[in-house]
Amino acid sequence: MKLRAEMPELTGATEWLNDELTKNELVGDKPTLFHFWSVSCGLCKEAMPDVNEFRDEFEDELNVVAVHMPRSEKDLDMSVIKAMAMSHDITQPIFVDNDHKLTDAFENQYVPAYYVFDAEGKLRHFQAGGGGMKMLRKRVNRVLGNEEK
């Protein structure tokens, strides 16, 4: 997905956990961070506290949506996905993407992966991998028009 590309429609979820959202509910409201993760991803588990801190710190300024992207057959078990969401305090909406519909729309190949869209729904930042929370914070603040938090 190229920078400034339009946010894809949020269709094709196997299931939504915590809440269900549409693109229309996100665009025009405030910027949105999409966080791709998988139950079999060790780096995802390590990054979860940082993502949750982000979610809580920017609660009034930023939408946060988790996307569970399975990497193997073992990752398709809803009870495992729900248990991990609970144990890692993932309270934001979770798009369970067992058919890779949203993953394909994002052209995403990585977990963890982070996509930051501005309030108009244009992609402003993408990064993948376990590190880089400082860079993500910097980009989110830039999209929000904030001085560094």
Side-chain angles (χ1 to χ4, degrees), residues 1-5 31-32 114-126 139-140 142-144:
M1 181 176 259
K2 290 183 167 56
L3 284 179
R4 304 209 182 275
T32 301
Y114 307 91
Y115 292 80
V116 179
F117 289 85
D118 62 22
E120 286 75 50
K122 302 277 189 249
L123 181 63
R124 301 305 296 265
H125 179 69
F126 162 75
R139 293 294 187 253
V140 165
R142 182 178 293 163
V143 168
L144 292 171

Side-chain angles (χ1 to χ4, degrees), residues 11-73:
T11 56
T14 308
E15 188 172 331
W16 278 91
L17 304 177
N18 301 329
D19 196 7
E20 184 171 341
L21 295 169
T22 65
K23 175 183 172 180
N24 286 345
E25 291 173 294
L26 297 174
V27 173
D29 177 30
K30 49 191 173 187
T32 301
L33 168 66
F34 283 91
H35 163 238
F36 283 76
W37 63 285
S38 184
V39 292
S40 64
C41 167
L43 286 175
C44 297
K45 293 172 189 163
E46 289 173 24
M48 220 52 91
D50 294 325
V51 174
N52 292 343
E53 184 180 313
F54 242 80
R55 175 197 66 213
D56 298 343
E57 180 180 342
F58 293 103
E59 181 179 10
D60 297 330
E61 304 165 85
L62 183 71
N63 297 306
V64 178
V65 179
V67 180
H68 181 265
M69 176 185 133
R71 301 188 307 166
S72 71
E73 287 293 315

Side-chain angles (χ1 to χ4, degrees), residues 126-138:
F126 162 75
Q127 73 184 54
M133 283 297 161
K134 274 193 174 126
M135 177 58 77
L136 185 61
R137 176 174 297 279
K138 185 179 270 190

